Amino acid sequence: MNAPADLGSGIGASVRRKEDYRLLTGEGMYTDDVRMAGLTYAYFLRSPHAHANIVRIGKTEALKAPGVLAIFTGEDLAADKVGGLPCGWLITDVNGKPMNEPPHPALAQGKVRHVGDQVAVIIAETWLQARDAAELVEVDYDVLPAVVGGTDALKPDAPQVHDGAPGNKCYTWSIGDKSAVDAAFAQAHHVTKLNLLNNRLVPNAIEPRAALASYSRADDSYTLYVTSQNPHVARLLLTAFVLGLPEHKVRVIAPDVGGGFGSKIFLYAEEAVLTWASKKVNRPIRWTSDRSEAFLTDAHGRDHATVAELAADKDGKFLAMRVHTVANLGAYLSTFASSVPTILYATLLAGQYTTPVIYCEVDGVFTNTVPVDAYRGAGRPEASYVVERLVSALAREMNIDQAEIRRRNFVRAFPYQTPVALQYDIGDFDATLDGALELADVAGFPARRAEAEQRGKRRGLGFSTYIEACGLAPSNIAGALGARAGLFEVGEVRVHPTGSVSVFTGSHSHGQGHETTFAQIVAARLGMDVDNVAIVHGDTGRVPFGMGTYGSRSLSVGGSAIMKALDKIEAKGKKIAAHLLEAADSDIEFKDGKFTVAGTDKSVPFGQVAFAAYVPHNYPLDKLEPGLNETAFYDPVNFTYPGGAHICEVEVDVETGVVKVVSMTAVDDFGTIINPMIVEGQVHGGLAQGIGQALLENCVYDQESGQLLTGSFMDYCMPRASDFPMFKVDNRVTPCTHNPLGAKGCGEAGAIGSPPAVINAVIDALAPLGVTHIDMPASPERVWRAIQSAKKSA
């Protein structure tokens, strides 16, 4: 694992995660574990209808129920001028106008737009009392027709979800040169065309969402404990857009968080309502979602319907790509929903290839379903699925080997400017493909396929050579593209008098291992043991303003901010050491925890310099202030671009349609790797989620009523350990060229590269039977029906 030379000797070691002992022994502190005096409980009454006018809400009998303290509705919020939940990214339509952005009230006002929409909140002494009282709230609904499919929502006679979004259209957005693409297609030797569905997913983090809000009359302030991936962003949105409060009056704390996968990035209605209501009842209020609520209210992921075309010359060289996607945004715009199927999707359609021209058009549409937003990968999995399904299909149609078609089109000269805005700084796509081919033993596949056929099974091999963009940046460019927030990160390094260190980071850890990885960076740089470094995150009252964790940004952006702060620590340390050693600042070198006068054996350890900073005897106070505490903000100049090659081998039982993944290989390039064990764990998790989407998971609504049909684990099929083989993973390293760590990011790669690899493998297995297409998830029933349909056609 090669690292930039100045990072220190501890980089690349598989240090055990420091946080695991606390979490595995039950000593973690999650939002639901927080206790306060006078605690009350909230229960949200939710709409049983996908689309309906609210005619009347009767609270009289419910208010008389035992333990009930208050019941609030959308009218109460409106009376207090509580704002709606904001969207954090403005997309400009192809006609130059801003997207349609209908209100998103925290409690429904006049109409409900999906099953699970919040209608009222009941606050009582116990959760059971609040739940029982909810049954006494009388709501009269005028039920309206519903629409749940994205393409259905665009039909002229479709029910209208919002008056402010005619035709259910949020925007039509495009990128690329359409005329150049059309001209290239007209001259193409071969064109591959696919109709693709990217199935809707429910995130299902192991810890459900929760919130606890309290109000203090003493200083007119609020504290919100919440399951959030970015507490500072939550506070900004809550104060500036919803409640209209000064930021310093609201403290948001995200303690230990049990997984997020993107679903805990966003500001949700429950958090806003509890914060507002805590002042109304002058008591702390807790709400914890149950799993059924999670299915109905957590932001969903994916849900694209795409028509995609790839044009090539007679040698299989790509000439152009043309894509049209209908993105189902759900009933309301979630925090970053508008950017996921646009900025984070279409800009990745170049993949690892030198396709000269690309055009993509996206229709973002409203439906009577749960809002859709970022889910592990956020646009990048959807893009990779389009690209890699097209590439594999074209290779089959042109009778070109799957590895060869990719090699003929790989980017090899860097930096490389894609036709869809991004510029790749570095990569070695041949190296990751070659590594995957060897690790997957592709050369031995024909023999394994023949052996399977003797047993009546069909084996297939699927390829996916993906690229993703991580560490969304820079802020000024993102702002020009519609981002309503900065995309920097902050790091504060506080050196204590005895030489130990506390690091305050705006990134948030909810499974990624920041307490270990960030400590390794600091320990390696300062020449100390990782146990002497403490990482603090998740509390707006302790940590400077930062942007949180999402998009595989923590190490490349958050870690780089820490490195910048360490630069300042080292620079000041050299000045203190120069005074102690009676030398010039410019003559001081720092390495392995010691400050040394260059060319001599005169040195002082880091701990002595730290002590001198806080006990400044004989200290030049006129030139150097006491203390050793530095803060830095880092705003990247570009995305980082992890990439890799995933190869999946499946075996299909043609009698039952059951698909078994017998081998899954991933060779990735994440740049500098700080902790290989943590990286491998991240890849394993991503692969599990990607395979889950490809074969099992599918969020389904009834087309007529809009009821969620897969509202529990009885109907929504989550993958189990028995669904996976032992993964084969490896890395190749090309360090990122524009951040001090050389890191690219690893958290989402497994979920990005694996779905097309799995589906390509299924198609490869069934192609001899005449099956040329199948949508995710490739469930046994869907596979069996595809086989039967092919038999009939034959």
PDB file of all heavy atoms in Angstrom, residues 387-407:
ATOM      1  N   VAL A 387     -24.007   2.284 -17.943  1.00  0.00           N
ATOM      2  CA  VAL A 387     -22.802   2.149 -18.771  1.00  0.00           C
ATOM      3  C   VAL A 387     -22.401   0.688 -18.918  1.00  0.00           C
ATOM      4  O   VAL A 387     -22.158   0.196 -20.038  1.00  0.00           O
ATOM      5  CB  VAL A 387     -21.648   2.969 -18.165  1.00  0.00           C
ATOM      6  CG1 VAL A 387     -20.350   2.721 -18.943  1.00  0.00           C
ATOM      7  CG2 VAL A 387     -21.983   4.458 -18.175  1.00  0.00           C
ATOM      8  N   GLU A 388     -22.324  -0.022 -17.809  1.00  0.00           N
ATOM      9  CA  GLU A 388     -21.795  -1.385 -17.867  1.00  0.00           C
ATOM     10  C   GLU A 388     -22.776  -2.378 -18.477  1.00  0.00           C
ATOM     11  O   GLU A 388     -22.365  -3.361 -19.100  1.00  0.00           O
ATOM     12  CB  GLU A 388     -21.361  -1.826 -16.468  1.00  0.00           C
ATOM     13  CG  GLU A 388     -20.152  -1.068 -15.942  1.00  0.00           C
ATOM     14  CD  GLU A 388     -18.971  -1.139 -16.910  1.00  0.00           C
ATOM     15  OE1 GLU A 388     -18.557  -2.258 -17.262  1.00  0.00           O
ATOM     16  OE2 GLU A 388     -18.487  -0.077 -17.333  1.00  0.00           O
ATOM     17  N   ARG A 389     -24.067  -2.132 -18.341  1.00  0.00           N
ATOM     18  CA  ARG A 389     -25.022  -2.982 -19.058  1.00  0.00           C
ATOM     19  C   ARG A 389     -24.906  -2.754 -20.568  1.00  0.00           C
ATOM     20  O   ARG A 389     -24.962  -3.702 -21.362  1.00  0.00           O
ATOM     21  CB  ARG A 389     -26.448  -2.680 -18.583  1.00  0.00           C
ATOM     22  CG  ARG A 389     -26.795  -3.229 -17.200  1.00  0.00           C
ATOM     23  CD  ARG A 389     -26.867  -4.753 -17.161  1.00  0.00           C
ATOM     24  NE  ARG A 389     -27.727  -5.295 -18.185  1.00  0.00           N
ATOM     25  CZ  ARG A 389     -29.043  -5.441 -18.100  1.00  0.00           C
ATOM     26  NH1 ARG A 389     -29.671  -5.054 -16.996  1.00  0.00           N
ATOM     27  NH2 ARG A 389     -29.751  -5.961 -19.093  1.00  0.00           N
ATOM     28  N   LEU A 390     -24.752  -1.497 -20.972  1.00  0.00           N
ATOM     29  CA  LEU A 390     -24.586  -1.196 -22.401  1.00  0.00           C
ATOM     30  C   LEU A 390     -23.322  -1.826 -22.968  1.00  0.00           C
ATOM     31  O   LEU A 390     -23.343  -2.440 -24.044  1.00  0.00           O
ATOM     32  CB  LEU A 390     -24.540   0.316 -22.614  1.00  0.00           C
ATOM     33  CG  LEU A 390     -25.855   1.082 -22.663  1.00  0.00           C
ATOM     34  CD1 LEU A 390     -25.580   2.585 -22.714  1.00  0.00           C
ATOM     35  CD2 LEU A 390     -26.694   0.667 -23.879  1.00  0.00           C
ATOM     36  N   VAL A 391     -22.216  -1.656 -22.258  1.00  0.00           N
ATOM     37  CA  VAL A 391     -20.933  -2.155 -22.757  1.00  0.00           C
ATOM     38  C   VAL A 391     -20.978  -3.673 -22.911  1.00  0.00           C
ATOM     39  O   VAL A 391     -20.543  -4.233 -23.930  1.00  0.00           O
ATOM     40  CB  VAL A 391     -19.788  -1.721 -21.820  1.00  0.00           C
ATOM     41  CG1 VAL A 391     -18.485  -2.434 -22.183  1.00  0.00           C
ATOM     42  CG2 VAL A 391     -19.599  -0.206 -21.872  1.00  0.00           C
ATOM     43  N   SER A 392     -21.509  -4.372 -21.921  1.00  0.00           N
ATOM     44  CA  SER A 392     -21.573  -5.830 -22.000  1.00  0.00           C
ATOM     45  C   SER A 392     -22.515  -6.290 -23.103  1.00  0.00           C
ATOM     46  O   SER A 392     -22.229  -7.275 -23.810  1.00  0.00           O
ATOM     47  CB  SER A 392     -22.006  -6.412 -20.645  1.00  0.00           C
ATOM     48  OG  SER A 392     -20.968  -6.287 -19.701  1.00  0.00           O
ATOM     49  N   ALA A 393     -23.641  -5.597 -23.257  1.00  0.00           N
ATOM     50  CA  ALA A 393     -24.582  -5.973 -24.317  1.00  0.00           C
ATOM     51  C   ALA A 393     -23.966  -5.746 -25.693  1.00  0.00           C
ATOM     52  O   ALA A 393     -24.101  -6.583 -26.602  1.00  0.00           O
ATOM     53  CB  ALA A 393     -25.867  -5.169 -24.178  1.00  0.00           C
ATOM     54  N   LEU A 394     -23.268  -4.631 -25.871  1.00  0.00           N
ATOM     55  CA  LEU A 394     -22.631  -4.363 -27.160  1.00  0.00           C
ATOM     56  C   LEU A 394     -21.566  -5.412 -27.466  1.00  0.00           C
ATOM     57  O   LEU A 394     -21.436  -5.876 -28.611  1.00  0.00           O
ATOM     58  CB  LEU A 394     -22.024  -2.961 -27.157  1.00  0.00           C
ATOM     59  CG  LEU A 394     -21.430  -2.473 -28.483  1.00  0.00           C
ATOM     60  CD1 LEU A 394     -21.735  -0.994 -28.710  1.00  0.00           C
ATOM     61  CD2 LEU A 394     -19.920  -2.694 -28.536  1.00  0.00           C
ATOM     62  N   ALA A 395     -20.803  -5.807 -26.458  1.00  0.00           N
ATOM     63  CA  ALA A 395     -19.777  -6.830 -26.667  1.00  0.00           C
ATOM     64  C   ALA A 395     -20.403  -8.143 -27.135  1.00  0.00           C
ATOM     65  O   ALA A 395     -19.884  -8.806 -28.050  1.00  0.00           O
ATOM     66  CB  ALA A 395     -18.978  -7.045 -25.382  1.00  0.00           C
ATOM     67  N   ARG A 396     -21.526  -8.535 -26.513  1.00  0.00           N
ATOM     68  CA  ARG A 396     -22.198  -9.770 -26.933  1.00  0.00           C
ATOM     69  C   ARG A 396     -22.702  -9.644 -28.373  1.00  0.00           C
ATOM     70  O   ARG A 396     -22.548 -10.575 -29.178  1.00  0.00           O
ATOM     71  CB  ARG A 396     -23.369 -10.081 -25.996  1.00  0.00           C
ATOM     72  CG  ARG A 396     -22.978 -10.709 -24.690  1.00  0.00           C
ATOM     73  CD  ARG A 396     -24.194 -11.289 -23.969  1.00  0.00           C
ATOM     74  NE  ARG A 396     -25.236 -10.281 -23.774  1.00  0.00           N
ATOM     75  CZ  ARG A 396     -25.275  -9.446 -22.756  1.00  0.00           C
ATOM     76  NH1 ARG A 396     -24.321  -9.493 -21.843  1.00  0.00           N
ATOM     77  NH2 ARG A 396     -26.256  -8.577 -22.642  1.00  0.00           N
ATOM     78  N   GLU A 397     -23.332  -8.529 -28.674  1.00  0.00           N
ATOM     79  CA  GLU A 397     -23.901  -8.344 -30.008  1.00  0.00           C
ATOM     80  C   GLU A 397     -22.837  -8.304 -31.095  1.00  0.00           C
ATOM     81  O   GLU A 397     -23.068  -8.767 -32.218  1.00  0.00           O
ATOM     82  CB  GLU A 397     -24.731  -7.064 -30.034  1.00  0.00           C
ATOM     83  CG  GLU A 397     -25.986  -7.133 -29.167  1.00  0.00           C
ATOM     84  CD  GLU A 397     -26.654  -5.783 -28.954  1.00  0.00           C
ATOM     85  OE1 GLU A 397     -26.177  -4.792 -29.548  1.00  0.00           O
ATOM     86  OE2 GLU A 397     -27.628  -5.711 -28.190  1.00  0.00           O
ATOM     87  N   MET A 398     -21.651  -7.783 -30.764  1.00  0.00           N
ATOM     88  CA  MET A 398     -20.578  -7.697 -31.746  1.00  0.00           C
ATOM     89  C   MET A 398     -19.594  -8.856 -31.650  1.00  0.00           C
ATOM     90  O   MET A 398     -18.578  -8.886 -32.365  1.00  0.00           O
ATOM     91  CB  MET A 398     -19.834  -6.362 -31.598  1.00  0.00           C
ATOM     92  CG  MET A 398     -20.700  -5.139 -31.874  1.00  0.00           C
ATOM     93  SD  MET A 398     -19.765  -3.592 -31.930  1.00  0.00           S
ATOM     94  CE  MET A 398     -18.841  -3.814 -33.476  1.00  0.00           C
ATOM     95  N   ASN A 399     -19.884  -9.801 -30.728  1.00  0.00           N
ATOM     96  CA  ASN A 399     -19.043 -10.982 -30.564  1.00  0.00           C
ATOM     97  C   ASN A 399     -17.604 -10.603 -30.228  1.00  0.00           C
ATOM     98  O   ASN A 399     -16.647 -11.130 -30.798  1.00  0.00           O
ATOM     99  CB  ASN A 399     -19.079 -11.867 -31.810  1.00  0.00           C
ATOM    100  CG  ASN A 399     -18.569 -13.275 -31.529  1.00  0.00           C
ATOM    101  OD1 ASN A 399     -18.681 -13.772 -30.400  1.00  0.00           O
ATOM    102  ND2 ASN A 399     -18.003 -13.916 -32.534  1.00  0.00           N
ATOM    103  N   ILE A 400     -17.471  -9.684 -29.282  1.00  0.00           N
ATOM    104  CA  ILE A 400     -16.158  -9.258 -28.798  1.00  0.00           C
ATOM    105  C   ILE A 400     -16.041  -9.669 -27.335  1.00  0.00           C
ATOM    106  O   ILE A 400     -16.992  -9.549 -26.563  1.00  0.00           O
ATOM    107  CB  ILE A 400     -15.975  -7.730 -28.937  1.00  0.00           C
ATOM    108  CG1 ILE A 400     -16.117  -7.306 -30.396  1.00  0.00           C
ATOM    109  CG2 ILE A 400     -14.617  -7.284 -28.393  1.00  0.00           C
ATOM    110  CD1 ILE A 400     -16.105  -5.792 -30.606  1.00  0.00           C
ATOM    111  N   ASP A 401     -14.889 -10.155 -26.933  1.00  0.00           N
ATOM    112  CA  ASP A 401     -14.649 -10.566 -25.561  1.00  0.00           C
ATOM    113  C   ASP A 401     -14.924  -9.405 -24.599  1.00  0.00           C
ATOM    114  O   ASP A 401     -14.610  -8.248 -24.897  1.00  0.00           O
ATOM    115  CB  ASP A 401     -13.201 -11.042 -25.412  1.00  0.00           C
ATOM    116  CG  ASP A 401     -12.864 -11.409 -23.985  1.00  0.00           C
ATOM    117  OD1 ASP A 401     -13.264 -12.485 -23.539  1.00  0.00           O
ATOM    118  OD2 ASP A 401     -12.199 -10.574 -23.322  1.00  0.00           O
ATOM    119  N   GLN A 402     -15.504  -9.728 -23.428  1.00  0.00           N
ATOM    120  CA  GLN A 402     -15.894  -8.689 -22.480  1.00  0.00           C
ATOM    121  C   GLN A 402     -14.699  -7.877 -21.974  1.00  0.00           C
ATOM    122  O   GLN A 402     -14.800  -6.656 -21.795  1.00  0.00           O
ATOM    123  CB  GLN A 402     -16.638  -9.315 -21.298  1.00  0.00           C
ATOM    124  CG  GLN A 402     -18.004  -9.876 -21.635  1.00  0.00           C
ATOM    125  CD  GLN A 402     -19.027  -8.787 -21.933  1.00  0.00           C
ATOM    126  OE1 GLN A 402     -18.828  -7.619 -21.636  1.00  0.00           O
ATOM    127  NE2 GLN A 402     -20.139  -9.179 -22.550  1.00  0.00           N
ATOM    128  N   ALA A 403     -13.589  -8.506 -21.708  1.00  0.00           N
ATOM    129  CA  ALA A 403     -12.410  -7.751 -21.285  1.00  0.00           C
ATOM    130  C   ALA A 403     -11.844  -6.941 -22.437  1.00  0.00           C
ATOM    131  O   ALA A 403     -11.422  -5.787 -22.268  1.00  0.00           O
ATOM    132  CB  ALA A 403     -11.350  -8.701 -20.729  1.00  0.00           C
ATOM    133  N   GLU A 404     -11.860  -7.519 -23.629  1.00  0.00           N
ATOM    134  CA  GLU A 404     -11.282  -6.842 -24.790  1.00  0.00           C
ATOM    135  C   GLU A 404     -12.057  -5.580 -25.164  1.00  0.00           C
ATOM    136  O   GLU A 404     -11.460  -4.561 -25.507  1.00  0.00           O
ATOM    137  CB  GLU A 404     -11.238  -7.801 -25.982  1.00  0.00           C
ATOM    138  CG  GLU A 404     -10.710  -7.199 -27.262  1.00  0.00           C
ATOM    139  CD  GLU A 404      -9.288  -6.694 -27.141  1.00  0.00           C
ATOM    140  OE1 GLU A 404      -8.526  -7.187 -26.273  1.00  0.00           O
ATOM    141  OE2 GLU A 404      -8.930  -5.781 -27.913  1.00  0.00           O
ATOM    142  N   ILE A 405     -13.399  -5.642 -25.107  1.00  0.00           N
ATOM    143  CA  ILE A 405     -14.182  -4.458 -25.473  1.00  0.00           C
ATOM    144  C   ILE A 405     -13.848  -3.298 -24.539  1.00  0.00           C
ATOM    145  O   ILE A 405     -13.794  -2.133 -24.952  1.00  0.00           O
ATOM    146  CB  ILE A 405     -15.700  -4.755 -25.438  1.00  0.00           C
ATOM    147  CG1 ILE A 405     -16.485  -3.617 -26.099  1.00  0.00           C
ATOM    148  CG2 ILE A 405     -16.212  -4.949 -24.026  1.00  0.00           C
ATOM    149  CD1 ILE A 405     -16.357  -3.539 -27.575  1.00  0.00           C
ATOM    150  N   ARG A 406     -13.576  -3.621 -23.302  1.00  0.00           N
ATOM    151  CA  ARG A 406     -13.228  -2.573 -22.347  1.00  0.00           C
ATOM    152  C   ARG A 406     -11.826  -2.035 -22.610  1.00  0.00           C
ATOM    153  O   ARG A 406     -11.609  -0.815 -22.593  1.00  0.00           O
ATOM    154  CB  ARG A 406     -13.377  -3.119 -20.914  1.00  0.00           C
ATOM    155  CG  ARG A 406     -14.856  -3.314 -20.535  1.00  0.00           C
ATOM    156  CD  ARG A 406     -15.056  -4.175 -19.299  1.00  0.00           C
ATOM    157  NE  ARG A 406     -16.446  -4.085 -18.820  1.00  0.00           N
ATOM    158  CZ  ARG A 406     -17.465  -4.755 -19.334  1.00  0.00           C
ATOM    159  NH1 ARG A 406     -17.270  -5.616 -20.336  1.00  0.00           N
ATOM    160  NH2 ARG A 406     -18.696  -4.592 -18.861  1.00  0.00           N
ATOM    161  N   ARG A 407     -10.895  -2.936 -22.874  1.00  0.00           N
ATOM    162  CA  ARG A 407      -9.528  -2.478 -23.151  1.00  0.00           C
ATOM    163  C   ARG A 407      -9.468  -1.579 -24.391  1.00  0.00           C
ATOM    164  O   ARG A 407      -8.676  -0.640 -24.444  1.00  0.00           O
ATOM    165  CB  ARG A 407      -8.616  -3.684 -23.355  1.00  0.00           C
ATOM    166  CG  ARG A 407      -8.280  -4.446 -22.073  1.00  0.00           C
ATOM    167  CD  ARG A 407      -7.082  -5.347 -22.308  1.00  0.00           C
ATOM    168  NE  ARG A 407      -6.725  -6.101 -21.107  1.00  0.00           N
ATOM    169  CZ  ARG A 407      -7.049  -7.361 -20.877  1.00  0.00           C
ATOM    170  NH1 ARG A 407      -7.773  -8.020 -21.794  1.00  0.00           N
ATOM    171  NH2 ARG A 407      -6.683  -7.975 -19.776  1.00  0.00           N
TER     172      ARG A 407
END
